Amino acid sequence: MSRPRRAARPRRVTVEACAKLNLGLRVGPRRADGYHEIATFFQSVSLADTLNAAPARRGFSLRIVYEDAALRRAVGQIPGPAGLRRKVARARGPATRWGGRSIGPALERVPAGAGNLVLRAARLVARSTGLERGTRFTLIKRIPTRSGLGGGSADAAAAIVALDRLFALRLGGARRMALAVRLGSDVPFALRGGTALGLGRGERLIPVRLAAPFRALIAVPRWRVSTARAFNQIDLKNLGLTGWASNLRFVQKLTARRLKPDRALGLGNTMERALGARRSDFLSLRARLRAVGIRNPLMTGSGSAVFGLIESRTSFAEVARRFKGDEPLFAVRSLGLGQRVVSR
Ligand code: C5P
């Protein structure tokens, strides 16, 4: 008699957790639960954090390693996986300099303690499944934090997937999504990845097919935006009510065919009008991106990162060389998935 088969448990799981761009983002009315209706096209891109997870007897621990993945403007190269500048600084370590430039602005520290989204996700998975074993996490952080690129959400989604694999929890898609939405409005998309229309508070996802893959350049200012404050500004200025019904019709129309990213950008980003005193810094960055040939630079999420599409015959290195400003620049391409999982 054969014994029931048990799912193999890997000794270690590695998840590549991709950043996202919002190809257009419209904020609508505030709901009774305090969240806002939104309409956005989420797109996974190739800039990614790496989360390693290994089993421990009890408790969850997290070590963070920062890695600078920005374009090397001085030598005009796009770093490939092997060319990345590794291990720039440890969490809580001293500010490390690279080639005379601080890694500071793009790689601002994230909380390494209990507030980190990896640990919050792990505790949520443990509570909802009764998991008693622990996990040692190592996070290689490359996605600039608090910049609208969805790095924290990507890490949280990666932690759910890593624990599911590591302990053969068999969560299934629906349960993973239910856990994700409790961690943040962008976490469901981080789990799903690819290209999707996001409705509701961002958790209602309708998969969309891109007309063709694309490349984009992202600039990340030193200043940051508080997402909650940006939503409040939108309420104060009544920005969410103007034209909401026609915005919904516009996004529905775009999903009827394969999505052309430049059409989606035509949606604009409501958050660009909620910047207050930072508006002039944003306008300056947008103008400097236009000056190097980027046609329609747009803020992603609630900012502060601004991105634009780069045509296939244009060289990233050349654009980065001509760009006037000290914002770190990132070269990315669109991806059909938000995560890549390797178990050993
Ligand atoms: O869900 P998340 O934690 O990312 O939300 C961060 C903040 O943004 C919260 O304060 C929330 O009220 C606000 N928010 C919102 N409408 C959304 C998403 C977030 O008002 N659709």
Side-chain angles (χ1 to χ4, degrees):
M1 215 171 77
S2 65
R3 277 195 271 162
R5 271 176 58 197
R6 288 176 57 188
R9 289 187 185 184
R11 279 177 297 141
R12 199 182 176 85
V13 174
T14 300
V15 185
E16 298 289 329
C18 297
K20 59 85 178 159
L21 293 174
N22 296 90
L23 307 176
L25 167 65
R26 280 283 162 176
V27 179
R30 190 188 191 101
R31 315 190 311 197
D33 64 4
Y35 286 94
H36 292 72
E37 292 289 323
I38 65 162
T40 186
F41 288 101
F42 286 114
Q43 174 63 57
S44 301
V45 291
S46 51
L47 175 63
D49 292 342
T50 304
L51 184 69
N52 287 303
R57 285 177 67 148
R58 276 191 171 274
F60 298 110
S61 66
L62 173 65
R63 190 171 74 95
I64 306 176
V65 176
Y66 292 87
E67 196 168 88
D68 187 353
L71 282 169
R72 300 177 74 161
R73 231 175 309 152
V75 282
Q77 286 177 348
I78 303 169
L84 285 170
R85 287 162 271 177
R86 279 204 66 102
K87 288 204 174 174
V88 183
R90 286 239 181 126
R92 297 191 228 245
T96 306
R97 297 181 82 80
W98 183 272
R101 268 186 34 215
S102 166
I103 64 160
L107 287 171
E108 178 190 88
R109 301 286 183 274
V110 291
N116 190 286
L117 269 162
V118 169
L119 296 177
R120 281 172 49 197
R123 286 199 308 271
L124 181 63
V125 170
R127 269 204 312 278
S128 80
T129 60
L131 174 69
E132 288 182 354
R133 298 282 307 278
T135 303
R136 278 195 311 278
F137 291 104
T138 303
L139 177 64
I140 304 175
K141 194 86 202 129
R142 302 186 193 91
I143 305 171
T145 51
R146 296 200 303 132
S147 57
L149 293 166
S153 302
D155 301 343
I160 296 174
V161 170
L163 291 180
D164 195 4
R165 285 277 182 106
L166 205 55
F167 299 109
L169 300 174
R170 297 169 187 263
L171 288 176
R175 213 155 153 218
R176 282 184 181 188
M177 289 300 259
L179 293 171
V181 76
R182 290 173 63 184
L183 291 160
S185 305
D186 290 347
V187 186
F189 174 74
L191 266 183
R192 186 77 64 85
T195 314
L197 171 63
L199 298 171
R201 55 182 268 223
E203 89 291 9
R204 270 179 51 213
L205 297 169
I206 299 164
V208 178
R209 293 184 71 178
L210 267 187
F214 65 87
R215 304 188 305 154
L217 184 78
I218 307 171
V220 184
R222 280 162 212 284
W223 48 275
R224 294 291 190 270
V225 174
S226 149
T227 302
R229 196 181 159 277
F231 276 111
N232 284 336
Q233 285 297 311
I234 285 170
D235 289 342
L236 288 174
K237 296 181 177 176
N238 269 330
L239 296 175
L241 301 175
T242 21
W244 177 240
S246 70
N247 287 325
L248 284 180
R249 280 196 300 275
F250 179 67
V251 294
Q252 295 292 357
K253 213 171 93 187
L254 286 188
T255 52
R257 293 158 176 258
R258 286 178 173 235
L259 185 70
K260 294 202 169 106
D262 50 345
R263 290 285 320 273
L265 295 183
L267 192 58
N269 185 337
T270 316
M271 295 290 190
E272 291 177 353
R273 293 159 69 193
L275 288 170
R278 288 294 179 191
R279 171 112 178 133
S280 57
D281 295 316
F282 159 72
L283 291 175
S284 152
L285 176 55
R286 195 174 64 178
R288 285 179 286 119
L289 287 167
R290 282 195 175 130
V292 292
I294 293 174
R295 273 210 306 265
N296 193 359
L298 203 73
M299 187 163 266
T300 175
S302 57
S304 56
V306 180
F307 71 98
L309 309 183
I310 295 266
E311 285 168 22
S312 54
R313 58 183 179 277
T314 308
S315 134
F316 275 119
E318 177 59 18
V319 171
R321 197 183 56 72
R322 287 192 288 116
F323 175 71
K324 289 195 168 51
D326 60 2
E327 289 89 352
L329 301 176
F330 295 82
V332 299
R333 60 194 161 78
S334 60
L335 293 181
L337 286 172
Q339 296 178 331
R340 201 169 61 86
V341 189
V342 182
S343 308
R344 271 167 293 172

